[in-house]
Amino acid sequence: MAVLSGPALNNAAPVTMPRKIIIDTDPGQDDAVAMLLALASPDELEVIAVVTVAGNVDLAKTTTNAAKVLELAGRADIPLYAGSDRPLGQRELVTAEHVHGPTGLDGPDLPEPQIAVQDMHGVDFLVESLGASDPGSITLCTLGPLTNVAAALNKAPDIASRIKELVIMGGAYFEVGNITPAAEFNVFVDPQAADIVLRSGIPITLLSLDVTHRVLTTPERLAHIRALGNSCGSAVAAMLSFSEKFDIEKYGSAGGPLHDPCVIAYVLQPDLFEGRAVNVSVELDGKYTYGMTVVDYWGVTDRPHNAHFVRSVDDEGFYDLLTERLRRLP
Ligand code: RIB
Ligand code: CA
């Protein structure tokens, strides 16, 4: 009997374990779609937990919305933690009901959630879970203001060395700001937090408005999602049909930019995106530029490279991925 050895024994494709991620979020319709994209990809992503933060709407609403999305996807098993209810320091919370509606998740009619929010504060969960994790085993995907991550770093600076990668939706440079002429919303809500995170030394990939404004929810793309015929497809179509109105009117574009799902799509298929290592600094003093992300894209300073700044994307490939994954959900 031939004894198999060498390549014959190793011709099976290597089994790669799903990448462990924690989603930090302020749902928000686009946050909700990002969560669904992650939850539709269990072979590649293990969503360890969802942590909410105040941003698009207040913390109570972002937490309720996150719970609604987990239940919509049939994933009430994923632990949900409520994090920071306001930015660091004395800064007042700035919200975005003008984009997302008074609930923060206007559009679909989703049932009140039954999920119990964990007792532990979301910041303490980040400190505890990252502190106990194998170094480099957890990827943090942030979809809102960076308050929770900065607060966790302030509490336990050592967690910085334990994070595999921090993939952030935030900032803007060539695309300029969306909440002020200079600043993008997630960074503007808590610029101090963004500054702490960008100085932390954590491997950061930044998906700013410069790339998210290249993935537009055109009527054709929304029609494909609506035609999926499942609950998640219908809910996503209703969500984006609501939230895109503001941007279409503001920019006169063919659809609204789809911000937060770019984070999850990048983790799933980084080859859809292109960027470069740069320095990204946050303006904390400017009268007109407060909260602006200043990107040294052309390398004219000696500031350290602290982020992989993503500027372009294969938008057709992005929507093919998103639509194909949404099809897998309930
Ligand atoms: O500027 C876009 C970002 O602000 C997105 O994360 C959106 O959800 C809002 O939080
Ligand atoms: Ca968000």
Side-chain angles (χ1 to χ4, degrees), residues 33 45 74 110 121 130 144 166 186 204 212 231 235 239 249-250 262 265 267 271 275 291 293 295 297 305 307 324:
V33 179
L45 302 177
L110 299 176
H121 190 285
L130 293 169
L166 177 52
N186 286 340
I204 289 173
T212 67
S231 304
M239 287 177 197
E249 186 173 334
K250 174 178 175 181
C262 286
V267 176
D271 293 346
T293 43
V295 179
Y297 192 81
H305 290 172
E324 184 274 323

Side-chain angles (χ1 to χ4, degrees), residues 91 170-192 194-195 198-199 206 208-210 279-297 303 309:
R91 185 168 171 74
Y173 187 58
F174 297 98
E175 190 65 32
V176 299
N178 59 359
I179 190 70
T180 76
E184 178 276 330
F185 180 79
N186 286 340
V187 174
F188 184 72
V189 169
D190 199 340
Q192 278 71 22
D195 183 57
L198 284 164
R199 294 176 186 277
L206 191 69
S208 74
L209 299 183
D210 294 82
N279 176 270
V280 181
S281 297
V282 182
E283 176 57 62
L284 298 176
D285 300 312
K287 177 178 178 182
Y288 299 109
T289 55
Y290 183 71
M292 177 180 178
T293 43
V294 179
V295 179
D296 182 8
Y297 192 81
R303 294 172 196 155
F309 181 80

Side-chain angles (χ1 to χ4, degrees), residues 209-216 221 257 311-313 315 319:
L209 299 183
D210 294 82
V211 66
T212 67
H213 277 218
R214 298 177 184 219
V215 287
L216 302 179
R221 287 165 173 169
R311 193 177 177 195
S312 61
V313 57
D315 60 327
Y319 276 94

